[in-house]
Amino acid sequence: MTNALGIHKPAGATRVVVAMSGGVDSSATAALLKEQGFDVVGVTLQLYDHGAAVCRPKTCCGSKDIHDARAVADALGIPHYVLDYEASFRRDVILRFVDSYAAGETPIPCVLCNQTVKFRDLLATARDLGADALATGHYVRRAEGPDGPQLLKGADPARDQSYFLFATTAEQLAFLRFPLGGMMSKDETRAIAARHALPVAAKRDSQDICFVPDGDYAALVTGLRPDAARPGDIVDGAGRVLGRHRGIIHYTIGQRKGLGLGGGPPLYVLALDPAANRVVVGPRAALDCPVVRVRDVNWLGGPEMELRVEARVRSTRPPVPGLLRRLEGGKAELMLDHPEQGVAPGQACVFYQGDRVLGGGWILPQRSS
């Protein structure tokens, strides 16, 4: 007998740990699984306690969200546990985020959080609780393929979160479930929450990075790595000094505004050089990037070492076609059919074939050797 999660057990004998953030997505996930007859256990992670961050309305994982998750669990009549992951979250997410910014990169902390705290630590905890699966409220799909489970885009393109889950390993994917991945709109999710009279049915989605509720990344980085805010030179491609910058943490590849260079043709940030503490600028055409090199590739595809793919170089960009060459040492090289702009070190490059996620890696500085 195969249940709704593809597990060969009756639903009532299948324990599912649900990662409950206190938002409507994870709450609806728990409600849907409870409705389907599964043995549901809710787990909420306490990741930080940063003063104003705990009660800001557009973040997640603070004390208000823990309260909301507990209220949802009570409404559903399921066990609920709060786990203190502050130490690992600081080590694996916050400090890596800060160090990445200080190194002239543009990091994505949500990927780091999924990769470490959630899909490494929480998954291990779910197994300790005797679970058969760990379910989350992410808008992605999981399907059984001829060689094991596959990761697919969410059915709703506007809510697809596959870009942020590229680092999910095949072993983790075998244990994970994403009940909302097939939903065609957020209205369907809220309807589940409303049907169960959950107190978060109308709660707004989180938007900001949870540990930077006011959006001031530079202040966080400066507080932990003061040297990253040192002023320095803004130079052109030939090294000629055009002006001064306020610290490389205030800039990202492709940026045009806020350079303070006065008149003349528009200039864009082409590269950040933390070793020399310089911001390199130039014309927009110089942003064209025909080849994207990545490190630490997580591969979910087949044995091919060279293949055609569609790739996203930022979460806000649509997939673009190119030829992928997988290299030794967990690296890869993507030759794009048409150059992309704004390709920034520290961002992810995620590879697709149709709806299937083949994997991805972290973009390397395009000017390095």
Side-chain angles (χ1 to χ4, degrees):
M1 177 181 181
T2 302
N3 59 41
L5 294 180
I7 298 171
H8 300 294
K9 295 171 69 173
T14 303
R15 173 166 290 183
V16 184
V17 166
V18 178
M20 299 180 67
S21 68
V24 66
D25 294 330
S26 60
S27 298
T29 297
L32 184 61
L33 293 172
K34 175 72 173 180
E35 185 178 83
Q36 293 172 341
F38 290 97
D39 175 16
V40 178
V41 177
V43 172
T44 301
L45 306 181
Q46 180 177 329
L47 301 181
Y48 61 88
D49 188 3
H50 290 177
V54 301
C55 56
R56 288 292 295 268
K58 296 193 293 182
T59 63
C60 66
C61 309
S63 61
K64 174 64 166 62
D65 300 293
I66 293 172
H67 170 81
D68 288 345
R70 182 176 292 116
V72 168
D74 289 344
L76 294 174
I78 63 172
H80 178 249
Y81 302 95
V82 178
L83 305 180
D84 183 356
Y85 278 20
E86 284 193 45
S88 58
F89 185 72
R90 177 180 173 82
R91 179 187 67 241
D92 294 329
V93 180
I94 296 178
L95 292 182
R96 286 175 65 181
F97 171 85
V98 167
D99 289 342
S100 182
Y101 252 115
E105 298 179 339
T106 306
I108 316 174
C110 293
V111 174
L112 294 176
C113 187
N114 291 328
Q115 185 180 24
T116 58
V117 175
K118 291 181 180 176
F119 290 173
R120 182 195 65 197
D121 301 343
L122 180 55
L123 192 145
T125 297
R127 292 187 187 278
D128 290 342
L129 290 171
D132 298 286
L134 170 65
T136 78
H138 288 103
Y139 287 88
V140 294
R141 291 174 293 158
R142 176 190 179 279
E144 290 296 334
D147 300 315
Q150 299 177 350
L151 183 63
L152 308 177
K153 296 176 183 177
D156 178 6
R159 302 202 66 81
D160 168 47
Q161 294 175 303
S162 59
Y163 178 87
F164 299 98
L165 297 183
F166 81 86
T168 305
T169 67
E171 181 182 7
Q172 292 168 344
L173 194 57
F175 193 69
L176 287 163
R177 297 297 187 274
F178 310 103
L180 302 186
M183 299 290 177
M184 291 304 298
S185 74
K186 186 60 175 270
D187 291 342
E188 291 185 57
T189 302
R190 293 196 182 278
I192 295 170
R195 186 166 70 240
H196 290 268
L198 300 185
V200 299
K203 187 175 181 178
R204 292 190 297 176
D205 291 344
S206 59
Q207 298 172 8
D208 296 330
I209 294 175
C210 63
F211 56 90
V212 194
D214 58 2
D216 191 352
Y217 313 141
L220 173 71
V221 177
T222 301
L224 294 173
R225 301 287 186 270
D227 284 350
R230 287 182 298 121
D233 290 332
I234 299 177
V235 301
D236 63 15
R240 291 174 295 198
V241 176
L242 304 180
R244 295 283 288 174
H245 67 72
R246 300 177 295 125
I248 62 172
I249 59 174
H250 294 283
Y251 304 86
T252 187
I253 306 299
Q255 180 177 333
R256 176 186 173 186
K257 296 181 178 179
L259 299 181
L261 296 179
L267 296 173
Y268 298 78
V269 175
L270 304 181
L272 302 175
D273 183 353
N277 194 27
R278 301 189 306 177
V279 173
V280 182
V281 300
R284 181 170 183 172
L287 285 170
D288 284 351
C289 180
V291 179
V292 181
R293 297 179 302 120
V294 298
R295 59 174 171 82
D296 299 331
V297 172
N298 178 58
W299 188 247
L300 297 172
E304 302 92 346
M305 298 301 291
E306 184 172 309
L307 65 163
R308 296 285 302 175
V309 300
E310 302 89 44
R312 295 173 72 179
V313 298
R314 286 203 182 220
S315 63
T316 54
R317 294 287 184 86
V320 293
L323 178 68
L324 176 68
R325 289 177 180 162
R326 297 168 56 208
L327 308 173
E328 294 182 356
K331 294 183 178 180
E333 189 174 68
L334 174 69
M335 279 126 307
L336 296 167
D337 289 2
H338 306 285
E340 279 280 279
Q341 294 191 340
V343 177
Q347 292 282 296
C349 183
V350 181
F351 316 122
Y352 299 86
Q353 280 187 338
D355 282 347
R356 185 181 178 187
V357 180
L358 297 178
W362 299 102
I363 296 174
L364 286 163
Q366 300 307 300
R367 291 168 171 253
S368 67
S369 57

Coordinates of all heavy atoms in Angstrom, one line a residue, residues 290-356:
P290 N 29.5 35.8 -21.0 CA 29.1 34.7 -21.8 C 29.4 33.3 -21.1 O 28.8 32.3 -21.5 CB 30.0 34.9 -23.0 CG 31.2 35.6 -22.5 CD 30.8 36.4 -21.4
V291 N 30.3 33.3 -20.1 CA 30.6 32.0 -19.5 C 30.5 32.2 -18.0 O 31.1 33.2 -17.4 CB 32.1 31.6 -19.8 CG1 32.4 30.3 -19.1 CG2 32.2 31.4 -21.3
V292 N 29.8 31.3 -17.3 CA 29.6 31.3 -15.9 C 30.3 30.1 -15.3 O 30.0 29.0 -15.6 CB 28.1 31.3 -15.5 CG1 27.9 31.4 -14.0 CG2 27.4 32.5 -16.2
R293 N 31.2 30.4 -14.4 CA 31.9 29.3 -13.7 C 31.4 29.2 -12.2 O 31.2 30.2 -11.6 CB 33.4 29.6 -13.7 CG 34.0 29.6 -15.1 CD 35.5 29.8 -15.2 NE 35.8 31.1 -14.6 CZ 36.6 31.3 -13.5 NH1 37.2 30.2 -13.0 NH2 36.9 32.5 -13.1
V294 N 31.2 28.0 -11.8 CA 30.7 27.7 -10.5 C 31.5 26.7 -9.7 O 32.2 25.9 -10.3 CB 29.2 27.3 -10.6 CG1 28.3 28.3 -11.2 CG2 29.1 26.0 -11.3
R295 N 31.3 26.8 -8.4 CA 32.0 25.8 -7.5 C 31.0 25.1 -6.6 O 29.8 25.4 -6.6 CB 32.9 26.6 -6.5 CG 32.2 27.6 -5.7 CD 33.2 28.3 -4.7 NE 32.5 29.4 -4.0 CZ 31.7 29.3 -3.0 NH1 31.4 28.1 -2.5 NH2 31.2 30.4 -2.4
D296 N 31.4 24.1 -5.9 CA 30.6 23.3 -5.0 C 29.3 22.9 -5.6 O 28.2 23.1 -5.1 CB 30.3 24.1 -3.7 CG 31.6 24.5 -3.0 OD1 32.6 23.7 -3.1 OD2 31.6 25.6 -2.3
V297 N 29.4 22.3 -6.8 CA 28.2 21.9 -7.5 C 27.5 20.7 -6.8 O 28.1 19.7 -6.5 CB 28.5 21.5 -9.0 CG1 27.3 20.8 -9.7 CG2 29.0 22.7 -9.7
N298 N 26.2 20.8 -6.6 CA 25.4 19.7 -6.1 C 24.6 19.2 -7.3 O 23.9 19.9 -8.0 CB 24.3 20.2 -5.1 CG 23.4 19.1 -4.6 OD1 23.9 18.0 -4.1 ND2 22.1 19.2 -4.8
W299 N 24.9 17.9 -7.7 CA 24.4 17.4 -8.9 C 23.2 16.4 -8.6 O 23.4 15.4 -7.9 CB 25.5 16.7 -9.7 CG 25.1 16.3 -11.1 CD1 24.9 15.0 -11.6 CD2 24.7 17.1 -12.2 NE1 24.5 15.0 -12.9 CE2 24.4 16.3 -13.3 CE3 24.6 18.5 -12.3 CZ2 24.0 16.8 -14.5 CZ3 24.2 19.1 -13.5 CH2 23.9 18.2 -14.6
L300 N 22.1 16.6 -9.2 CA 20.9 15.7 -9.1 C 20.5 15.0 -10.4 O 19.5 14.4 -10.5 CB 19.7 16.5 -8.6 CG 19.9 17.1 -7.2 CD1 18.7 18.1 -6.9 CD2 20.0 16.0 -6.1
G301 N 21.4 15.3 -11.5 CA 21.1 14.7 -12.8 C 21.7 13.4 -13.0 O 22.1 12.7 -12.1
G302 N 21.9 13.1 -14.3 CA 22.5 11.8 -14.7 C 24.0 11.8 -14.8 O 24.6 12.8 -14.3
P303 N 24.6 10.8 -15.5 CA 26.0 10.7 -15.5 C 26.7 11.6 -16.6 O 27.9 11.7 -16.6 CB 26.2 9.3 -15.9 CG 25.0 8.9 -16.7 CD 23.9 9.7 -16.1
E304 N 25.9 12.4 -17.4 CA 26.5 13.2 -18.4 C 27.4 14.2 -17.9 O 27.1 14.9 -16.9 CB 25.4 13.9 -19.3 CG 24.4 12.9 -19.9 CD 23.2 12.7 -19.0 OE1 23.2 13.0 -17.8 OE2 22.2 12.1 -19.5
M305 N 28.5 14.4 -18.6 CA 29.5 15.5 -18.2 C 29.3 16.7 -19.0 O 29.9 17.8 -18.6 CB 30.9 14.9 -18.3 CG 31.2 13.7 -17.4 SD 30.9 14.1 -15.6 CE 32.3 15.2 -15.3
E306 N 28.6 16.6 -20.1 CA 28.4 17.8 -21.0 C 26.9 17.7 -21.5 O 26.6 16.7 -22.1 CB 29.4 17.9 -22.1 CG 29.2 19.1 -23.0 CD 30.3 19.2 -24.0 OE1 31.5 19.1 -23.6 OE2 30.0 19.4 -25.2
L307 N 26.1 18.7 -21.3 CA 24.7 18.6 -21.7 C 24.2 20.0 -21.8 O 24.6 21.0 -21.3 CB 23.9 17.8 -20.7 CG 23.8 18.3 -19.3 CD1 22.6 17.6 -18.6 CD2 25.0 18.1 -18.4
R308 N 23.1 20.1 -22.6 CA 22.3 21.3 -22.8 C 21.4 21.5 -21.6 O 20.8 20.6 -21.1 CB 21.5 21.3 -24.0 CG 22.3 21.2 -25.3 CD 22.9 22.5 -25.7 NE 21.9 23.6 -25.8 CZ 22.3 24.9 -26.1 NH1 23.5 25.2 -26.2 NH2 21.3 25.8 -26.2
V309 N 21.4 22.8 -21.1 CA 20.5 23.1 -19.9 C 19.9 24.4 -20.1 O 20.3 25.2 -21.0 CB 21.4 23.0 -18.6 CG1 22.0 21.7 -18.3 CG2 22.4 24.1 -18.6
E310 N 19.0 24.7 -19.2 CA 18.5 26.1 -19.0 C 19.1 26.5 -17.6 O 19.0 25.6 -16.7 CB 17.0 26.3 -19.0 CG 16.4 25.8 -20.3 CD 16.0 24.4 -20.3 OE1 15.5 23.9 -19.3 OE2 16.3 23.7 -21.3
A311 N 19.5 27.7 -17.4 CA 20.1 28.1 -16.1 C 19.6 29.4 -15.7 O 19.3 30.3 -16.4 CB 21.7 28.1 -16.3
R312 N 19.5 29.5 -14.3 CA 19.1 30.8 -13.7 C 20.4 31.3 -12.9 O 20.9 30.6 -12.1 CB 18.0 30.6 -12.8 CG 16.7 30.2 -13.4 CD 15.6 29.9 -12.5 NE 15.1 31.1 -11.8 CZ 14.1 31.1 -10.9 NH1 13.5 30.0 -10.6 NH2 13.7 32.2 -10.4
V313 N 20.8 32.5 -13.2 CA 22.0 33.1 -12.5 C 21.6 34.0 -11.4 O 22.4 34.4 -10.6 CB 22.8 33.8 -13.5 CG1 23.4 32.9 -14.6 CG2 22.1 35.0 -14.2
R314 N 20.3 34.3 -11.2 CA 19.7 35.0 -10.1 C 18.3 34.5 -9.9 O 17.6 34.1 -10.8 CB 19.7 36.5 -10.3 CG 21.1 37.1 -10.2 CD 21.0 38.6 -9.8 NE 22.3 39.2 -9.8 CZ 22.7 40.1 -8.9 NH1 21.8 40.5 -7.9 NH2 23.8 40.7 -8.9
S315 N 17.8 34.6 -8.7 CA 16.4 34.1 -8.4 C 15.4 34.9 -9.2 O 14.3 34.4 -9.5 CB 16.1 34.2 -6.9 OG 16.2 35.6 -6.5
T316 N 15.7 36.2 -9.5 CA 14.8 37.0 -10.2 C 14.9 36.9 -11.8 O 14.1 37.6 -12.5 CB 15.0 38.5 -9.8 OG1 16.3 38.8 -10.0 CG2 14.6 38.7 -8.4
R317 N 15.8 36.1 -12.3 CA 16.0 36.0 -13.7 C 15.3 34.7 -14.2 O 15.3 33.7 -13.6 CB 17.5 35.9 -14.0 CG 18.3 37.2 -13.7 CD 18.0 38.3 -14.7 NE 18.8 39.4 -14.4 CZ 20.0 39.6 -14.9 NH1 20.5 38.7 -15.7 NH2 20.7 40.7 -14.6
P318 N 14.8 34.8 -15.4 CA 14.2 33.6 -16.1 C 15.4 32.6 -16.5 O 16.5 33.1 -16.7 CB 13.4 34.1 -17.2 CG 14.1 35.4 -17.6 CD 14.6 36.0 -16.3
P319 N 15.1 31.4 -16.6 CA 16.1 30.4 -17.1 C 16.6 30.8 -18.6 O 15.7 31.2 -19.4 CB 15.4 29.1 -17.1 CG 14.3 29.2 -16.1 CD 13.9 30.6 -16.3
V320 N 17.9 30.7 -18.8 CA 18.4 30.9 -20.2 C 19.2 29.7 -20.6 O 19.8 29.0 -19.8 CB 19.3 32.2 -20.2 CG1 18.5 33.4 -19.9 CG2 20.4 32.1 -19.1
P321 N 19.2 29.5 -22.0 CA 19.9 28.2 -22.4 C 21.4 28.4 -22.5 O 22.0 29.4 -22.7 CB 19.3 28.1 -23.8 CG 19.0 29.5 -24.3 CD 18.5 30.2 -23.0
G322 N 22.0 27.2 -22.4 CA 23.5 27.2 -22.5 C 24.0 25.7 -22.5 O 23.2 24.8 -22.3
L323 N 25.3 25.6 -22.6 CA 26.0 24.3 -22.6 C 26.7 24.2 -21.3 O 27.6 25.0 -21.0 CB 26.9 24.1 -23.8 CG 27.7 22.8 -23.8 CD1 26.8 21.7 -24.1 CD2 28.8 22.9 -24.9
L324 N 26.4 23.1 -20.5 CA 27.0 22.9 -19.2 C 28.1 21.8 -19.3 O 27.9 20.8 -19.9 CB 26.0 22.5 -18.2 CG 26.5 22.1 -16.8 CD1 27.1 23.3 -16.1 CD2 25.4 21.4 -16.0
R325 N 29.3 22.2 -18.8 CA 30.3 21.2 -18.7 C 30.7 21.0 -17.3 O 31.1 21.9 -16.6 CB 31.6 21.7 -19.5 CG 31.4 21.7 -21.0 CD 32.6 22.3 -21.7 NE 32.5 22.3 -23.1 CZ 33.2 23.0 -24.0 NH1 34.1 23.8 -23.5 NH2 33.0 22.9 -25.2
R326 N 30.5 19.8 -16.8 CA 30.8 19.4 -15.4 C 32.3 19.1 -15.3 O 32.9 18.4 -16.2 CB 30.0 18.3 -14.9 CG 28.5 18.6 -14.9 CD 27.7 17.3 -14.7 NE 28.1 16.6 -13.5 CZ 27.9 15.3 -13.3 NH1 27.5 14.5 -14.3 NH2 28.3 14.7 -12.2
L327 N 33.0 19.7 -14.3 CA 34.4 19.5 -14.2 C 34.8 18.8 -12.9 O 33.9 18.6 -12.1 CB 35.1 20.9 -14.2 CG 34.7 21.8 -15.4 CD1 35.3 23.2 -15.2 CD2 35.2 21.2 -16.7
E328 N 36.1 18.5 -12.8 CA 36.5 17.9 -11.6 C 36.5 18.8 -10.4 O 36.5 20.0 -10.6 CB 37.9 17.3 -11.7 CG 38.1 16.2 -12.8 CD 39.5 15.7 -12.9 OE1 40.4 16.3 -12.2 OE2 39.7 14.7 -13.6
G329 N 36.5 18.3 -9.2 CA 36.5 19.1 -8.0 C 35.2 19.8 -7.7 O 35.3 20.9 -7.0
G330 N 34.1 19.3 -8.2 CA 32.8 19.9 -7.9 C 32.6 21.3 -8.6 O 31.8 22.1 -8.2
K331 N 33.3 21.5 -9.7 CA 33.2 22.7 -10.4 C 32.4 22.5 -11.7 O 32.3 21.3 -12.2 CB 34.5 23.4 -10.7 CG 35.2 23.9 -9.4 CD 36.5 24.6 -9.8 CE 37.2 25.1 -8.5 NZ 38.5 25.8 -8.8
A332 N 32.0 23.5 -12.4 CA 31.3 23.4 -13.6 C 31.5 24.7 -14.4 O 31.8 25.8 -13.8 CB 29.8 23.1 -13.5
E333 N 31.3 24.7 -15.7 CA 31.4 25.8 -16.6 C 30.2 25.8 -17.5 O 29.9 24.8 -18.1 CB 32.7 25.7 -17.4 CG 33.0 27.0 -18.2 CD 34.4 26.9 -18.8 OE1 34.6 26.0 -19.7 OE2 35.3 27.6 -18.4
L334 N 29.5 27.0 -17.5 CA 28.3 27.1 -18.3 C 28.6 28.1 -19.4 O 28.9 29.3 -19.1 CB 27.1 27.6 -17.4 CG 25.8 27.9 -18.2 CD1 25.2 26.7 -18.7 CD2 24.9 28.6 -17.2
M335 N 28.5 27.7 -20.7 CA 28.6 28.6 -21.8 C 27.2 29.0 -22.3 O 26.5 28.2 -22.8 CB 29.4 27.9 -22.9 CG 30.9 27.9 -22.7 SD 31.8 26.4 -22.7 CE 30.9 25.3 -21.6
L336 N 26.9 30.2 -22.1 CA 25.5 30.7 -22.4 C 25.4 31.0 -23.9 O 26.3 31.4 -24.5 CB 25.3 32.0 -21.6 CG 25.2 31.9 -20.1 CD1 25.3 33.2 -19.4 CD2 24.0 31.1 -19.6
D337 N 24.2 30.7 -24.4 CA 23.9 31.0 -25.8 C 24.0 32.5 -26.0 O 24.4 33.0 -27.1 CB 22.5 30.5 -26.2 CG 22.5 29.0 -26.3 OD1 23.5 28.3 -26.0 OD2 21.4 28.4 -26.6
H338 N 23.5 33.3 -25.0 CA 23.6 34.7 -25.1 C 24.1 35.3 -23.8 O 23.6 34.8 -22.7 CB 22.2 35.3 -25.4 CG 21.5 34.7 -26.6 ND1 21.9 35.1 -27.9 CD2 20.6 33.8 -26.8 CE1 21.2 34.4 -28.8 NE2 20.4 33.6 -28.1
P339 N 25.0 36.2 -23.7 CA 25.5 36.7 -22.5 C 24.5 37.2 -21.5 O 23.5 37.8 -22.0 CB 26.5 37.8 -22.9 CG 26.8 37.5 -24.3 CD 25.6 36.9 -24.9
E340 N 24.7 37.0 -20.2 CA 23.8 37.5 -19.2 C 24.5 38.7 -18.5 O 25.8 38.7 -18.5 CB 23.5 36.4 -18.2 CG 22.4 35.5 -18.6 CD 21.0 36.1 -18.3 OE1 20.5 36.1 -17.2 OE2 20.5 36.6 -19.3
Q341 N 23.8 39.6 -17.9 CA 24.4 40.7 -17.2 C 24.0 40.5 -15.7 O 23.1 39.9 -15.3 CB 23.9 42.0 -17.7 CG 24.3 42.3 -19.1 CD 24.0 43.7 -19.5 OE1 23.2 44.4 -19.0 NE2 24.8 44.2 -20.5
G342 N 24.8 41.1 -14.9 CA 24.6 41.1 -13.4 C 25.0 39.7 -12.8 O 24.4 39.4 -11.7
V343 N 25.9 39.0 -13.4 CA 26.3 37.7 -12.9 C 27.3 38.0 -11.7 O 28.3 38.5 -11.9 CB 27.0 36.8 -13.9 CG1 27.5 35.5 -13.3 CG2 26.0 36.5 -15.1
A344 N 26.9 37.6 -10.5 CA 27.6 38.1 -9.3 C 28.1 36.9 -8.5 O 27.4 35.9 -8.2 CB 26.7 38.9 -8.4
P345 N 29.4 37.0 -8.1 CA 29.9 35.9 -7.2 C 29.1 35.8 -5.9 O 28.7 36.8 -5.4 CB 31.3 36.4 -6.9 CG 31.7 37.3 -8.0 CD 30.4 38.0 -8.5
G346 N 28.9 34.6 -5.5 CA 28.1 34.4 -4.3 C 26.7 34.1 -4.5 O 26.0 33.5 -3.7
Q347 N 26.2 34.4 -5.7 CA 24.8 34.0 -6.1 C 24.9 32.6 -6.6 O 26.0 32.0 -6.9 CB 24.3 34.9 -7.2 CG 24.0 36.4 -6.8 CD 22.7 36.5 -6.0 OE1 21.6 36.2 -6.6 NE2 22.8 36.8 -4.8
A348 N 23.8 32.0 -6.8 CA 23.7 30.6 -7.2 C 23.4 30.6 -8.7 O 22.7 31.4 -9.3 CB 22.6 29.8 -6.5
C349 N 24.0 29.6 -9.4 CA 23.6 29.3 -10.8 C 23.0 27.9 -10.8 O 23.6 26.9 -10.4 CB 24.8 29.3 -11.7 SG 24.5 29.0 -13.4
V350 N 21.7 27.8 -11.1 CA 20.9 26.6 -11.0 C 20.6 26.1 -12.4 O 20.1 26.8 -13.2 CB 19.7 26.8 -10.1 CG1 18.9 25.5 -10.0 CG2 20.0 27.4 -8.8
F351 N 20.7 24.8 -12.6 CA 20.6 24.1 -13.9 C 19.3 23.4 -14.0 O 18.9 22.6 -13.0 CB 21.8 23.2 -14.2 CG 23.1 23.7 -13.8 CD1 23.9 23.1 -12.9 CD2 23.5 24.9 -14.3 CE1 25.1 23.6 -12.5 CE2 24.8 25.5 -14.0 CZ 25.6 24.8 -13.1
Y352 N 18.6 23.5 -15.1 CA 17.3 22.8 -15.3 C 17.3 22.2 -16.7 O 18.0 22.6 -17.6 CB 16.2 23.9 -15.3 CG 16.0 24.6 -14.0 CD1 16.7 25.8 -13.8 CD2 15.0 24.2 -13.1 CE1 16.5 26.5 -12.6 CE2 14.8 24.9 -11.9 CZ 15.5 26.1 -11.7 OH 15.4 26.8 -10.5
Q353 N 16.4 21.2 -16.8 CA 16.0 20.6 -18.1 C 14.5 20.5 -17.9 O 13.9 19.7 -17.2 CB 16.6 19.3 -18.4 CG 18.0 19.4 -19.0 CD 18.5 18.0 -19.4 OE1 18.1 17.0 -19.0 NE2 19.5 18.1 -20.3
G354 N 13.8 21.5 -18.6 CA 12.3 21.6 -18.4 C 12.0 21.9 -17.0 O 12.6 22.9 -16.4
D355 N 11.2 21.2 -16.3 CA 10.8 21.4 -14.9 C 11.8 20.8 -13.9 O 11.8 21.1 -12.7 CB 9.4 20.9 -14.6 CG 8.3 21.8 -15.1 OD1 8.6 22.9 -15.5 OD2 7.1 21.3 -15.2
R356 N 12.7 19.9 -14.4 CA 13.5 19.2 -13.5 C 14.8 20.0 -13.1 O 15.4 20.7 -14.0 CB 14.0 17.9 -14.1 CG 14.9 17.0 -13.2 CD 15.3 15.8 -13.8 NE 16.2 15.0 -12.9 CZ 16.9 13.9 -13.2 NH1 16.8 13.4 -14.4 NH2 17.6 13.3 -12.2

